[in-house]
Amino acid sequence: RLAEAQAEAMRQQFTHAERQAEEERRHRVESEGLWQQRHAALQRQLRRTEVALGEAAVFSRQSGVGDRSAHTNEEVNERSTDVAGVLRLWRELQRQRGSTSGSLA
């Protein structure tokens, strides 16, 4: 009888461990899916930002007429330079980390 009780206790422990492992696996899969969604959203946002920077640079080169345009160009160029610098730093960081996640680096 003692052996049967010990065997039953072991089965219960094993069943509990299996359930816990399955729950942890499901949690990991869910977390990875959420991370992948966030990563994809950030990549799309980065692409939109790069496109906007490209358009801002084109705009600043094309519209140099009048005092107001010159002032606007200075603002656009300043913002474009700031954001472009941030993008360069981000890309350099990705290179240093050895990122191969399909980034825009």
Side-chain angles (χ1 to χ4, degrees):
R1 275 200 144 170
L2 180 60
E4 287 177 16
Q6 288 176 339
E8 181 60 29
M10 292 294 284
R11 277 193 292 273
Q12 287 177 354
Q13 286 179 348
F14 181 72
T15 301
H16 177 72
E18 280 184 324
R19 277 192 218 125
Q20 189 174 6
E22 179 60 23
E23 185 178 323
E24 289 174 4
R25 185 195 66 77
R26 274 194 299 256
H27 181 69
R28 256 192 326 270
V29 167
E30 181 182 331
S31 294
E32 184 173 335
L34 292 173
W35 179 87
Q36 287 175 347
Q37 288 176 353
R38 179 70 177 141
H39 182 70
L42 288 171
Q43 282 187 320
R44 287 190 302 271
Q45 183 180 5
L46 178 60
R47 287 185 185 110
R48 285 192 302 269
T49 301
E50 287 183 324
V51 167
L53 285 173
E55 290 173 358
V58 168
F59 170 77
S60 68
R61 280 187 233 113
Q62 290 177 350
S63 65
V65 181
D67 291 338
R68 185 161 189 242
S69 293
H71 180 67
T72 303
N73 285 343
E74 289 173 15
E75 290 174 355
V76 169
N77 285 337
E78 187 175 307
R79 282 192 298 258
S80 296
T81 301
D82 290 346
V83 176
V86 169
L87 287 172
R88 277 193 300 278
L89 289 173
W90 181 81
R91 285 183 177 134
E92 182 61 30
L93 178 63
Q94 292 301 98
R95 275 191 217 96
Q96 288 176 1
R97 287 184 177 170
S99 175
T100 58
S101 63
S103 66
L104 299 173

